[in-house]
């Protein structure tokens, strides 16, 4: 493969990196905005509902709703018309908390999908561009040696390609790194919102469901 072909291949590779980077950025931006809207709507309805355990939003499919359904599935397994001892109360409480925590981890993994591509493009694109730069300079030096002249018309083409490769590598890396950091901050904020919702749901369940099914004397003895 000729020197010019290698530089052109490097430019094409960086062009593919740029296309993939902006595709991931657009998809993740839509995902973040859509999740934020759905979570806000479901949590608002959850707080406004007088009976959160009976809340039903099948068509919404929010992240908060999936956490809610996991907790609701645990509550449906409680024995009916049977008082719980303090030990059983604690066991059900831990089971509910663990199930929602696992769902939170699943939601976190979903939110982080695609960010690895941005991190990879942001870290490798400058080096790919640098490779094109070095190869272009080698091409220029070879032409100088072959023609015995360092005139502008001999070195302008290879060095120009080298500079384009450097610039394109930086142009790919900057939006990838900025988008990666932005989405990390958004994911942390979304996860904090989901954790607050899970805590509210757990508190509501303890007050209105588990405690009602637990023997009062046992709880009073434990508090004493």
């Amino acid at each position: 493969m000729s020197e010019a072909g290698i530089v052109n291949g490097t430019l094409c590779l960086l062009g593919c990196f740029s296309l993939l980077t902006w595709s991931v950025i657009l998809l993740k931006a839509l995902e973040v905005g859509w999740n934020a809207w759905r979570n806000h709507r479901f949590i608002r309805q959850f707080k406004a509902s007088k009976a959160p355990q009976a809340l039903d939003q099948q068509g919404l499919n929010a992240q908060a709703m999936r956490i809610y359904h996991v907790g609701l599935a645990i509550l449906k397994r409680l024995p009916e018309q049977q008082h719980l001892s303090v030990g059983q109360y604690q066991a059900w409480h831990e089971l509910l908390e663990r199930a929602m925590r696992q769902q939170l981890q699943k939601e976190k993994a979903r939110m982080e999908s695609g960010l690895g591509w941005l991190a990879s493009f942001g870290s490798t694109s400058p080096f790919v561009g640098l490779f094109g730069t070095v190869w272009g300079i080698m091409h220029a030096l070879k032409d100088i040696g072959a023609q015995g002249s360092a005139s502008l018309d001999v070195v302008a083409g290879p060095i120009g390609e080298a500079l384009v490769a450097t610039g394109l590598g930086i142009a790919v890396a900057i939006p990838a790194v900025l988008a990666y950091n932005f989405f990390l901050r958004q994911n942390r904020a979304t996860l904090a919102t989901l954790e607050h919702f899970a805590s509210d749901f757990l508190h509501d369940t303890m007050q209105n469901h588990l405690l009602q099914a637990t023997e009062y004397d046992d709880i009073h003895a434990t508090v004493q």
Side-chain angles (χ1 to χ4, degrees):
M1 183 179 293
S2 65
E3 290 85 351
I6 292 178
V7 175
N8 291 333
T10 302
L11 295 177
C12 290
L13 181 60
L14 289 173
C16 293
F17 281 4
S18 179
L19 179 62
L20 291 173
T21 295
W22 284 105
S23 298
V24 173
I25 289 174
L26 292 176
L27 290 175
K28 294 300 293 184
L30 290 174
E31 178 185 326
V32 169
W34 187 236
N35 284 335
W37 178 79
R38 290 186 298 182
N39 287 332
H40 174 74
R41 180 180 174 185
F42 180 81
I43 292 174
R44 182 180 61 185
Q45 293 177 353
F46 174 85
K47 292 181 178 180
S49 176
K50 296 182 179 179
Q53 284 79 13
L55 192 63
D56 186 17
Q57 289 290 330
Q58 294 293 335
L60 195 56
N61 194 26
Q63 294 170 306
M65 189 190 69
R66 290 194 288 266
I67 296 173
Y68 162 82
H69 280 192
V70 167
L72 195 62
I74 298 298
L75 292 180
K76 290 180 179 179
R77 294 164 54 185
L78 280 172
E80 298 181 358
Q81 298 180 351
Q82 177 181 345
H83 289 296
L84 302 177
S85 65
V86 173
Q88 290 174 325
Y89 164 80
Q90 293 175 346
W92 281 104
H93 176 273
E94 292 175 359
L95 179 61
L96 179 61
E97 184 177 12
R98 184 169 62 251
M100 289 193 296
R101 179 63 59 183
Q102 290 175 348
Q103 185 62 33
L104 278 170
Q105 294 301 317
K106 292 179 181 179
E107 298 300 333
K108 180 181 178 181
R110 291 179 180 176
M111 289 188 293
E112 291 178 350
S113 63
L115 296 185
W117 289 102
L118 293 179
S120 298
F121 295 150
S123 60
T124 60
S125 293
F127 296 103
V128 175
L130 182 61
F131 171 79
T133 300
V134 172
W135 205 270
I137 293 175
M138 290 174 59
H139 186 196
L141 294 176
K142 182 178 179 180
D143 290 343
I144 291 173
Q147 300 186 19
S149 173
S151 60
L152 184 61
D153 58 344
V154 174
V155 299
I159 292 180
E161 292 178 347
L163 294 177
V164 170
T166 301
L168 186 56
I170 295 174
V172 174
I174 289 177
V177 172
L178 291 177
Y180 175 78
N181 292 329
F182 172 77
F183 289 130
L184 278 184
R185 292 193 299 270
Q186 292 298 314
N187 288 348
R188 284 196 292 266
T190 301
L191 191 62
T193 300
L194 295 177
E195 287 177 347
H196 286 313
F197 168 76
S199 178
D200 291 341
F201 179 74
L202 183 62
H203 181 266
D204 178 81
T205 300
M206 291 171 59
Q207 294 295 326
N208 302 322
H209 205 89
L210 289 179
L211 288 180
Q212 291 182 1
T214 307
E215 295 180 4
Y216 175 80
D217 292 339
D218 290 343
I219 296 179
H220 183 72
T222 301
V223 173
Q224 294 295 329

